């Protein structure tokens, strides 16, 4: 069965997370993604704890459905080999520092001479232009510079990094989206494209309502812990056993919440009648709600509130997430075979088509696992491949 991106060939020079996670999304949809790595394996993500045997679980999370070829791009023979591969490729993804491809002689204009309609997606911390373009940009630094840390955490505590590399993850989505758009443009016009993605740009674009509040009113949002600056009650409350997140997003939901708690008087209380009133009297309302939530366990409150269609849920750890009945029903864990680890579990791609199955068809590749097979597909003989290996090219 053909996948949506069957026939699309991607050469992936990217490392760590933002680029590889984006190319994995495209690989899940059927693109042939070939990771190009240095022979000694310089992708940091391969060396990050924890490990299963000698394989990094971090690496395994972002590289399924790909192939791995080792090429030393600092050697002229390696550059020539990469250019040969480019002639049959649709897309190149890279996240070297700005200017690295030019120094290697593998920049967009050079690649266009190998294939006129090639698409190059460049991912950097700060982009290809501007005063910061030459600086490295890792996820936590961009969270800090891009304003995310300043609005994350409790009011009386320090600015806090989000628990996952969320800027890298958001960037990976833009990698996939921009490449799909460039492929569509190529199909219509025959033109290739150079995509310039900046982690900082993407973080700034992802500030959402926080950015809008500032740009339109000059309001500078502050940390509010788990509360929402514009809606209440829209935060966590400690129950008899553990906390629960409640998002009563409108007046109707608040009135239902009041009824469930047996506090009908809140519905007519001028302090709480509208969301604006509740915002103005946030602390008074929170104290009343805290006392009520402590009377039952989180699961009991979840059942009561969910029956009334009030969005809510307990604060789960990762083990509880994968044991959640909805996560199980949506089949979000998938199993695949690995040559050295046996059966491994990874998180399933969340895209669900009606008529197409998105699944893991191959394991995250071992370094250089497909070098010989792919180079032979490009017409190299066994003796040529052996010579390249002996010369440190592959």
């Amino acid at each position: 069965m053909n996948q949506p991106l069957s026939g699309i060939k991607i050469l992936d020079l990217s490392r760590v997370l933002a680029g590889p996670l984006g190319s994995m999304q495209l690989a899940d949809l059927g693109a042939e993604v070939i990771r190009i790595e240095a022979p000694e394996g310089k992708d940091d993500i391969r060396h990050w704890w924890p490990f299963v045997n000698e394989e990094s679980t971090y690496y395994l999370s972002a590289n399924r459905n790909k192939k791995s070829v080792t090429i030393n791009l600092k050697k002229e023979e390696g550059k020539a080999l990469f250019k040969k591969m480019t002639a049959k490729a649709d897309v190149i993804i890279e996240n070297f520092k700005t200017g690295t491809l030019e120094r290697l002689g593998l920049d967009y204009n050079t690649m266009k001479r190998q294939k006129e309609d090639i698409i190059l997606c460049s991912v950097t911390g700060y982009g290809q232009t501007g005063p910061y373009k030459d600086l490295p940009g890792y996820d936590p630094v961009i969270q800090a510079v891009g304003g995310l840390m300043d609005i994350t955490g409790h009011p009386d505590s320090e600015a806090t990094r989000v628990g996952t590399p969320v800027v890298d993850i958001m960037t990976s989505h833009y990698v996939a989206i921009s490449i799909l758009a460039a492929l569509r443009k190529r199909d219509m016009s025959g033109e290739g494209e150079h995509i310039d993605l900046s982690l900082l740009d993407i973080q700034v674009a992802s500030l959402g309502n926080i950015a809008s509040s500032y740009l339109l009113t000059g309001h500078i949002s502050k940390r509010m812990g788990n509360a929402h600056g514009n809606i209440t009650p829209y935060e966590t409350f400690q129950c008899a056993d553990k906390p629960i997140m409640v998002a009563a997003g409108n007046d109707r939901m608040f009135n239902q919440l009041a009824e469930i708690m047996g506090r009908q008087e809140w519905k007519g209380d001028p302090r709480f009648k509208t969301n604006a009133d509740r915002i103005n009297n946030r602390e008074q309302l929170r104290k009343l709600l805290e006392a009520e939530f402590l009377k039952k366990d989180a699961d009991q409150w979840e059942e009561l509130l969910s029956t009334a269609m009030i969005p809510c849920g307990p604060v789960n750890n990762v083990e509880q997430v994968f044991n959640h009945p909805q996560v199980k029903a949506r089949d979000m864990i998938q199993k695949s075979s690995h040559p050295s680890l046996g059966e491994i579990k990874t998180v399933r791609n969340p895209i669900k088509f009606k008529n197409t199955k998105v699944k893991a068809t191959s394991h995250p590749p071992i370094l250089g696992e497909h070098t010989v097979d792919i180079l032979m597909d490009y017409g190299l003989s066994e003796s040529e491949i052996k010579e390249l290996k002996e010369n440190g090219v592959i």
Side-chain angles (χ1 to χ4, degrees):
M1 178 179 65
N2 284 339
Q3 296 290 300
L5 297 183
S6 292
I8 298 296
K9 187 186 293 289
I10 298 173
L11 303 181
D12 186 5
L13 294 168
S14 66
R15 300 159 294 171
V16 189
L17 193 60
L21 197 57
S23 65
M24 186 178 78
Q25 294 181 56
L26 300 171
D28 285 350
L29 296 173
E32 181 185 10
V33 176
I34 302 173
R35 282 180 56 90
I36 308 293
E37 301 180 71
E40 61 271 28
K42 289 188 175 179
D43 188 349
D44 291 343
I45 199 174
R46 284 188 179 274
H47 310 293
W48 288 354
W49 180 90
F51 297 90
V52 180
N53 293 341
E54 296 182 354
E55 296 292 328
S56 164
T57 58
Y58 214 126
Y59 168 79
L60 294 174
S61 75
N63 287 287
R64 65 171 173 255
N65 287 341
K66 302 178 188 180
K67 300 174 182 177
S68 174
V69 171
T70 54
I71 300 177
N72 187 343
L73 295 177
K74 294 181 180 180
K75 290 183 174 286
E76 291 304 317
E77 304 96 318
K79 295 175 187 177
L81 191 56
F82 181 74
K83 290 177 180 178
K84 184 182 182 72
M85 296 179 71
T86 297
K88 293 185 179 181
D90 299 285
V91 179
I92 301 169
I93 302 174
E94 61 94 10
N95 64 348
F96 295 124
K97 291 180 183 178
T98 300
T100 299
L101 284 189
E102 285 80 358
R103 289 194 293 274
L104 290 172
L106 300 174
D107 55 279
Y108 177 62
N109 290 330
T110 301
M111 293 299 96
K112 277 183 66 176
R113 291 195 287 272
Q114 303 300 309
K115 193 170 191 292
E116 179 63 28
D117 62 354
I118 194 68
I119 295 166
L120 172 63
C121 180
S122 296
V123 182
T124 56
Y126 297 98
Q128 301 292 309
T129 59
Y132 281 56
K133 65 181 177 64
D134 296 322
L135 296 180
Y138 271 48
D139 178 280
V141 176
I142 301 300
Q143 287 195 37
V145 174
L148 181 57
M149 282 181 62
D150 185 62
I151 57 173
T152 304
H154 289 277
D156 56 351
S157 66
E158 64 179 356
T160 304
R161 178 182 68 85
V162 177
T164 61
V166 65
V167 181
D168 280 342
I169 293 169
M170 291 187 296
T171 299
S172 75
H173 298 160
Y174 280 93
V175 168
I177 292 168
S178 61
I179 287 173
L180 291 174
L183 287 168
R184 175 62 172 156
K185 174 191 172 185
R186 185 202 65 177
D187 291 345
M188 294 188 293
S189 67
E191 295 180 348
E193 186 59 270
H194 185 191
I195 302 164
D196 172 12
L197 292 179
S198 153
L199 269 68
L200 180 60
D201 290 353
I202 290 164
Q203 170 52 50
V204 171
S206 301
L207 286 172
N209 61 295
I210 300 296
S212 181
S213 295
Y214 169 72
L215 293 173
L216 296 175
T217 71
H219 174 70
I220 299 176
S221 298
K222 298 299 181 184
R223 291 189 291 281
M224 296 192 66
N226 295 319
H228 195 293
N230 308 104
I231 310 168
T232 194
Y234 205 99
E235 56 194 296
T236 55
F237 294 93
Q238 180 62 45
C239 302
D241 60 340
K242 59 183 178 181
I244 188 171
M245 183 71 185
V246 178
N250 56 44
D251 296 340
R252 177 189 61 81
M253 289 182 184
F254 175 74
N255 289 337
Q256 289 177 309
L257 177 62
E259 287 206 14
I260 290 169
M261 289 185 160
R263 301 299 298 267
Q264 287 84 353
E265 69 273 16
W266 291 353
K267 293 159 56 175
D269 192 319
R271 297 174 300 171
F272 312 139
K273 193 168 183 61
T274 69
N275 181 64
D277 297 325
R278 294 190 292 276
I279 290 290
N280 289 332
N281 297 281
R282 180 193 296 270
E283 292 307 315
Q284 293 170 282
L285 176 59
R286 178 167 176 83
K287 288 179 181 178
L288 293 170
L289 288 167
E290 285 176 332
E292 295 299 326
F293 275 109
L294 285 171
K295 295 176 180 178
K296 291 181 174 64
D297 289 345
D299 289 344
Q300 293 174 295
W301 282 121
E302 181 184 22
E303 183 177 356
L304 288 168
L305 300 183
S306 295
T307 301
M309 301 305 290
I310 299 173
C312 65
V315 178
N316 290 329
N317 63 31
V318 68
E319 181 179 23
Q320 291 166 332
V321 169
F322 285 109
N323 285 315
H324 193 284
Q326 184 67 11
V327 174
K328 287 184 174 181
R330 296 290 287 176
D331 199 21
M332 283 304 296
I333 300 175
Q334 66 180 8
K335 299 176 182 178
S336 58
S337 178
H338 189 279
S340 63
L341 302 179
E343 184 180 80
I344 62 173
K345 296 178 182 178
T346 56
V347 178
R348 186 178 297 281
N349 190 304
I351 298 173
K352 289 179 172 63
F353 293 110
K354 180 71 172 178
N355 301 315
T356 304
K357 185 74 171 177
V358 179
K359 61 181 181 179
T361 56
S362 62
H363 60 273
I366 296 170
L367 180 66
E369 181 178 347
H370 305 93
T371 302
V372 173
D373 290 342
I374 288 177
L375 294 186
M376 290 184 73
D377 287 343
Y378 277 89
L380 276 70
S381 66
E382 289 186 13
S383 59
E384 289 173 317
I385 293 172
K386 182 179 179 182
E387 183 179 355
L388 289 172
K389 189 172 182 64
E390 290 173 348
N391 293 334
V393 178
I394 60 174

